[in-house]
Amino acid sequence: MTQIHLEESSHNHTEVSAIRPWTDYFTFNTDHKVIGIQYLVTSFVFYLVGGVLAELVRTELRTPDPDFVTPEVYNGLFTLHATIMIFLWIVPAGAGFANYLIPLMIGARDMAFPRLNAVAFWMIPVGGLLLIASLVVGDAPDAGWTSYPPLSLMTGQVGEAIWIISVLLLGTSSILGALNFFVTILKMRVPSMGLNQMPLFCWAMLSTSALVLVSTPVLAAGLILLAFDLLAGTSFFNPTGGGDPVVYQHMFWFYSHPAVYIMILPFFGAISEIIPVHSRKPIFGYQAIAYSSIAISFLGLIVWAHHMFTSGIPGWLRMFFMILTMIIAVPTGIKIFSWLATMWGGKIQLNSAMLFAMGFVGTFVMGGVSGIMLASVPFDIHVHDTYFVVAHLHYVLFGGSVLGIFAATYHWFPKITGRKVNEFWAKVHFVLTIVGINMTFLPMHKLGLMGMNRRIAQYDPKFALLNEICTYGSYILAVSTIPFLINALWSWLYGEKAGNNPWRGLTLEWNTTSPPAIENFEELPVLTNGPYDYGLKRENKGTIEPEAVLSS
């Protein structure tokens, strides 16, 4: 790999960053940094809403009988919880970091299509408020986030229609954002930055954007046809009129399995940025990590039917998708081992960003192991639609994506706000989160192996003890959000000034002020060495920050 590195220019250390009035963040603003913060704050608000719904679901499941909410209300709660967490929390959070960081990382002034970028964001609150409004009108969608027909055609018509419109809006937002990221990364890098000199976060977003652009239109088409069945009486998926509901499953999962990688790939990229900085070591296997993102993007498009092993697909097709699903673990494993090799022998700073990054690696591996188990057809048939699948999903998406969001937040908080977080309370947040994750989701593996079905409010009393443990774990997870929220708000307003580059990072975003000026760089940065060359020699410059130890 050709080695490059930014040459730190003196004017960037004395430049005064532009402080925007707070009202800018409530307007149709085309600055990618404003849009990035809008995405992040909005997605976190929806995370709180989805978290409240999750606590209501877990409180109902604390006892075997439906004694907290009715089964009908329960169906609506878990449907909205899953939809909000996927489409309004994790996916927009990844887009938020991408919006804020990509132009800074590649030395650009803004995104390729600033107005389109703003349009993409403002679809998020509209779609989210529309979805939550279904609770107010008393007809919340209750067919699950998969919305399988014929069940989705037999429940509340208004709620299901609202769900379809909301997801279509959010999917359109995702497509517009992905188009922007794709063009910006490929066309707006500083002239001296080739593809193999980009930060790994940019490689991850390039792969994510390709997935979004290929898969999301298929989901949109499926939802439009489902809307015709629901509202116009057609029979694309309605078996009573000759339709085939399995075709909907294929269209849904052609997007919704890649959606797992759409949610996790941006934070694979973030972890690849965080670990070398706080280990003070060059990233191990730059090209392997970069190209494994492309491999995950490609393979993610051809494994969707492993969600349909019990849907009556032919045996030979089961074998095909089983093998491909197992193969996709290879590029993921490349990343895991590269991160571990980067940490090995490094001067690791156990600050909050690094702790969450390490927690990400550990919990995601647990989710990946159960994913390999579910890729096996006989095992998948045995635990299909049980809590084993719920456990796997949450170890991947909460233990993976959400821990990645928090790691990225703590890492780039000084760049976004110009201030440091309180490390003590950030570590309290980490401990509570790790305890809560494992207490909530680890027992679910056992519940699934014992045969407890998901998506039910009433269950056999033999599952009561484990469900009670899961519920109390979810309360710990809820409490863990409190120190994060208070710490983030207090630090943003009153925290210690961080300076322009508190981590002494080598990627381009650290070569401007904190927060960055309106047009990012007074002059385009000059590149001479690599983005992860910690401790390596650069020509005529000596060693790059070999002993960089950062204050908390």
Side-chain angles (χ1 to χ4, degrees), residues 248-411:
Y248 173 84
Q249 292 186 31
H250 281 288
M251 298 182 77
F252 178 84
W253 286 114
F254 186 80
Y255 165 80
S256 295
H257 186 76
V260 174
Y261 303 111
I262 291 168
M263 289 184 276
I264 198 70
L265 272 171
F267 303 105
F268 280 169
I271 298 303
S272 297
E273 302 297 328
I274 294 166
I275 286 178
V277 172
H278 299 290
S279 298
R280 310 315 300 173
K281 275 188 62 185
I283 191 76
F284 182 91
Y286 171 94
Q287 289 186 332
I289 295 175
Y291 299 156
S292 67
S293 294
I294 302 295
I296 290 172
S297 181
F298 172 72
L299 290 170
L301 289 167
I302 54 176
V303 297
W304 77 88
H306 67 225
H307 294 273
M308 301 169 57
F309 285 159
T310 60
S311 296
I313 62 175
W316 66 269
L317 198 57
R318 286 176 172 176
M319 293 296 293
F320 175 78
F321 282 103
M322 179 181 76
I323 293 168
L324 284 176
T325 303
M326 291 182 173
I327 289 175
I328 205 170
V330 175
T332 307
I334 288 171
K335 293 182 185 295
I336 299 294
F337 284 112
S338 295
W339 294 332
L340 294 177
T342 302
M343 287 187 280
W344 185 266
K347 298 174 182 177
I348 296 175
Q349 284 291 113
L350 290 179
N351 51 40
S352 52
M354 190 62 175
L355 287 172
F356 272 99
M358 294 167 73
F360 171 99
V361 174
T363 52
F364 181 81
V365 166
M366 292 182 67
V369 169
S370 62
I372 292 296
M373 297 169 69
L374 288 167
S376 175
V377 173
F379 185 84
D380 181 86
I381 291 173
H382 177 66
V383 299
H384 185 77
D385 255 345
T386 71
Y387 265 79
F388 192 93
V389 179
V390 178
H392 160 70
L393 174 71
H394 284 86
Y395 265 99
V396 169
L397 293 185
F398 202 113
S401 295
V402 177
L403 289 188
I405 290 171
F406 288 132
T409 300
Y410 285 121
H411 180 68

Side-chain angles (χ1 to χ4, degrees), residues 125-304:
V126 173
L129 292 174
L130 185 64
L131 191 65
I132 294 171
S134 64
L135 282 172
V136 179
V137 300
D139 191 22
D142 57 1
W145 79 279
T146 57
S147 203
Y148 278 180
L151 176 62
S152 57
L153 303 176
M154 299 163 57
T155 57
Q157 189 178 66
V158 174
E160 188 63 27
I162 289 175
W163 183 89
I164 291 172
I165 295 170
S166 176
V167 174
L168 283 173
L169 279 171
L170 299 172
T172 303
S173 167
S174 189
I175 291 172
L176 298 180
L179 179 65
N180 224 336
F181 301 144
F182 205 81
V183 175
T184 301
I185 293 170
L186 291 181
K187 295 295 185 180
M188 297 184 68
R189 303 187 308 277
V190 289
S192 56
M193 183 182 287
L195 286 175
N196 282 341
Q197 289 90 39
M198 292 192 306
L200 289 166
F201 181 79
C202 296
W203 275 103
M205 287 309 305
L206 200 63
S207 306
T208 304
S209 300
L211 266 179
V212 170
L213 292 172
V214 173
S215 64
T216 310
V218 178
L219 173 67
L223 292 180
I224 290 170
L225 296 178
L226 183 65
F228 275 113
D229 281 6
L230 181 72
L231 302 174
T234 57
S235 296
F236 293 106
F237 307 128
N238 191 342
T240 60
D244 189 350
V246 175
V247 173
Y248 173 84
Q249 292 186 31
H250 281 288
M251 298 182 77
F252 178 84
W253 286 114
F254 186 80
Y255 165 80
S256 295
H257 186 76
V260 174
Y261 303 111
I262 291 168
M263 289 184 276
I264 198 70
L265 272 171
F267 303 105
F268 280 169
I271 298 303
S272 297
E273 302 297 328
I274 294 166
I275 286 178
V277 172
H278 299 290
S279 298
R280 310 315 300 173
K281 275 188 62 185
I283 191 76
F284 182 91
Y286 171 94
Q287 289 186 332
I289 295 175
Y291 299 156
S292 67
S293 294
I294 302 295
I296 290 172
S297 181
F298 172 72
L299 290 170
L301 289 167
I302 54 176
V303 297
W304 77 88

